[in-house]
Amino acid sequence: VTNPRRKIAFLFLTNTDLHFAPLWERFFSGHGDLYNIYIHADPSAKVASPGGVFDGRFIPAKKTERASPSLISATRRLLA
């Protein structure tokens, strides 16, 4: 039995564009086998994909509101 290599999951819960995407790109550079990225973006906010390591990382999202149970549901979707 082999031990699979462990990865860290980065979970982004947002309702705006990822303004620090270039900084995250530098952070993740060269370590693609060590992490997974998942992004939940409120569909009513029209968040644009910044590309790069964030391409294809958006999960199916539902509307969220600050300080509401919808954020708990969004977090559960990220963890699933």
Side-chain angles (χ1 to χ4, degrees):
V1 177
T2 61
N3 290 331
R5 191 163 194 182
R6 294 179 184 216
K7 290 184 173 186
I8 295 175
F10 289 86
L11 311 176
F12 293 86
L13 181 60
T14 186
N15 61 359
T16 64
D17 290 340
L18 297 174
H19 300 290
F20 290 103
L23 180 63
W24 283 108
E25 284 281 343
R26 289 181 58 198
F27 178 80
F28 292 127
S29 179
H31 305 289
D33 59 333
L34 299 176
Y35 64 85
N36 287 324
I37 299 172
Y38 303 99
I39 304 168
H40 180 286
D42 187 330
S44 65
K46 307 288 188 240
V47 175
S49 175
V53 297
F54 297 102
D55 243 3
R57 307 294 184 136
F58 285 79
I59 64 166
K62 294 185 180 177
K63 183 164 176 48
T64 58
E65 291 182 24
R66 211 176 267 272
S68 76
S70 63
L71 288 177
I72 296 169
S73 297
T75 304
R76 286 183 176 157
R77 281 192 293 282
L78 280 169
L79 292 171

